[in-house]
Amino acid sequence: MQLRHRTAAAVVASFALLGLTISPAAGTRVETAPASKLPDLPTPAEYFGFEMGDEGRLAAFSDISEYFETIADSSPEVEYEVVDRTTDNNEYPILRLSSEENLARLDSILAVNERLADPDAMAAEAAGAGMEPEAYARQLARTTVPVYYIEASIHATEVGNTQALVDVVHRLATEDSEAMNRILDNLVVLVVPSANPDGQQMVVDYFNQTAGTEYNRVYPDLYHRYVGHDNNRDWFMFTQKESRTRVALEQKYRPVVQHYMHQAGTESPRIWTPPYDEPLSPDVDPIAISSSNALGQFTQRDLVAEGLKGVKSDDAYGILWNADVAGYGTFLGTSTFLTEIASARDLAYPYTGEGVLEPVDKTIRSPLPYDSDTWTLKQIVQYATSAAFSGLNTVAGDPQSWLLNNLYRVNANSETWDGGPYAYVVPADQRDPYAVYDMMRIFDFGEVEIEQATAPFTAEGREFDAGSYILRTQQPLGRWVDQLLRIDEYPDSARKCDDCPLILPYSETTDNVALFMGVDVAAVQEEFDAETRRVQAITQERIRMPRAPGADGAYILSAASYGLGRIIDALQDAGVDAYRAGAITVDGQEFAPGALMVPAGEPRARETLTRAVRETALPVYATAAMPATGAVQLAENTRVGLVRGANNMPGGWLMWMMDQFGTNYEVVEAADYATLSERFDTIVLAPGITTERLTVGLDATKYPEEFAWAAGVPDAPQRLAEFANQGGNVLALGSSSLTAASAMGLPVENVTPTDREVFTVPGALLAQEYDTSQPAAWGMPAAWPTWFNNDAAFRLTGEGTSVSRYPAEGNPLVSGYALGAEALNGATNIASFDVGEGEVTIAGGHITFRTWPRASWTVVTNAIYNGAGTELTAEEMAARFGG
């Protein structure tokens, strides 16, 4: 047997993983049957009645969980634990696999690994031992083993990986071989069978329930209650329960590798492994990314040696520019190991193309091209299983270097890293205290070292008050701090050659949380002195309610916080009348347009405000008499209809945000269009709602009755126009603004260029100017960046009001990447129109994108409630309140 590019020992090691041996003399492969540690445990085929990967057969997640629990009950080397509950209150299980000895001392292993990742602890312990930190860390690493994390099926339709983990776990638990024992001796393997158990149950159960029917076999709606496929785009806002569960696991187990098992399209490479493509964030430690790339190359080697064709790397998945894809663990020192395997037809049936699938020449990135026109679920399981064992075997073969590099050195590097400013300071005096609290909770949850000034201080000539937060960048998570707060300048170096086109990232080009949330943050380059205290937990400031002003008085709140939406929703739920005023001055206190006025004589007014203010920390003022001003009386318990369509992620994110705020909304169903005015006061069109989605929708003949709500309504656009003309209020966001403009004949022209050679803004923050006298912009600053992702921008061609627009001149880019953005100069983003007796507000930009641009939620709150309210003159208000 001729060996090329590999040593004989390496080949033997790979075959050992497959349960094969090689005769050294003749090179003859001989199949062996390793002894089983658990001879009485049923195999997967015996337990489920079919082998993983059999055509048209998918094991239900509940059955897989029960099987894993059975294995754990049988084996001292496997532990099964339900670590959390999901969004839909299902179990979130994990498994730990390691030698019996390692599991017995797991707490000690995790404690040692935590110390290795703590530079201050290492320095102190090394000094106490009279050693250099590096030498001490090396010695300490020999007393522990690394954690290797494997996670499948965060995207629930990528079913093959969870099925493959059944075989992986069974083999690790039962096979008494040198290869399996080495893995268990040298690692703690942490298995997450699915990072989205809700979705696994939706998708697989639906697949199994529709067997033998004429229905389509792929679940047609969001396979997570709120975010669907976007559930791996939540790695810095941490909005979803499952995201927070993963982060808690990362913080507890500090894995050196996280193997994320994904699937891609049917025509994609049969399997893709790192190295990753450009661009690379300056905040990612070079050890972490080099280790990821090396692990991917080892896996490519092993799969090719096994004869698995169609393995590719590089030129794809440039996921390491921003935190929403790179993930939180990357900044802990974890190497992200991504595998993307091509999918089959209808989840579990062979896919056959017109020729060789994804045909390519033999190249460095594709050394063994695929040569068949068919691809099966059995192959998906085989490739996934082999990739999992390759990664495990690689790290188990050299565990100490992974501990030293990924836990000790990556975190030690962060203590001396000088890639960002010295610190970011969050000044104490902010226009929106709720936004500060919302943002700082992210850093608190991420276990960043946060300080708070106990006295005023000066940094680079700027004075900061006591109470200001300080986030220094030379700390273990300092790179993550910089990642989330830096003004992004996309690198021109993201090219294959000097003359090659710029490589744009896999995802968006900025993730600046301060700009998203409307928080003023100062990047301080030079070291400064300040008296501080270490913040143990971010908590809401305690706001004292003012003295009750009497039955004729009123409570007043500023509109300058997006948290005001929570106050309005709470008042609506309690049945308390509320009013929005123009600019007013109350007892010497000036309020910009949009102040919320609540009559003190309203039953439950004070009780409701007291509770709502506890959640938002927004100051409440009181006055003895209702201000003499015109106002908008908000509708009683405004009824909101959300048009989201099936499998529409922007609509799912809107549902999540509305649920957090307590909005009284319902998803608009096909049957509702006949009676829109009777059911709703405001209708919100989620981004992505096109005329086709409205009129065609899901084919009711191809899905069960439970999805009839998403069927098309041929005259839906006309029904929406009638709703507005009859006095209804409509808010259309992002791309649905074009749908609303067409349906209602709005006088606008989309001026966003479509030629991506001269114009592209693929997810960035652009400067925006607001007319804060307009009700839709009440409470917004006069200027604040807005989210833009090649969205619509308008020129008004008739009667309407421009609420916000891009600057009249100059490059509007604030953070991220933009080409030719000057084409938007002077264009309108948000506009309001009178349509018949009703009102329509459109936002060309996706101002609610994944709930990131929280500052813009003020616009959503305004448009939902103000447009459905009743305008009262100053005289009418005076007559009502005895002024």
Side-chain angles (χ1 to χ4, degrees), residues 272 341 383 489 676 772:
W272 181 93
I341 303 175
Y383 278 56
E489 297 179 9
L676 291 177
T772 58

Side-chain angles (χ1 to χ4, degrees), residues 92 147-152 190 192 195 235 243 245-262 274 276 288 291-292 295 319 325-339 391-392 395 402 406:
Y92 192 110
V147 175
Y148 189 108
Y149 175 112
I150 307 179
E151 173 189 289
L190 183 67
V192 178
W235 303 124
S243 305
T245 301
R246 183 204 276 183
V247 170
L249 291 172
E250 291 171 320
Q251 291 170 340
K252 177 178 179 179
Y253 289 94
R254 300 300 296 248
V256 297
V257 170
Q258 284 181 288
H259 181 178
Y260 300 130
M261 305 173 75
H262 280 257
Y276 296 99
S291 299
S292 296
L295 189 58
I319 67 172
V325 187
Y328 170 79
T330 299
F331 298 91
L332 293 176
T334 301
S335 287
T336 298
F337 176 35
L338 173 69
T339 52
L392 289 166
V395 178
W402 286 87
N406 288 64

Side-chain angles (χ1 to χ4, degrees), residues 281-298:
S281 165
D283 295 316
V284 172
D285 187 276
I287 294 175
I289 182 59
S290 297
S291 299
S292 296
N293 288 340
L295 189 58
Q297 288 291 270
F298 275 118

Side-chain angles (χ1 to χ4, degrees), residues 535-550:
V535 176
Q536 300 303 318
I538 296 295
T539 57
Q540 275 285 33
E541 180 184 356
R542 294 179 65 86
I543 298 294
R544 298 174 67 92
M545 285 287 292
R547 185 186 301 274

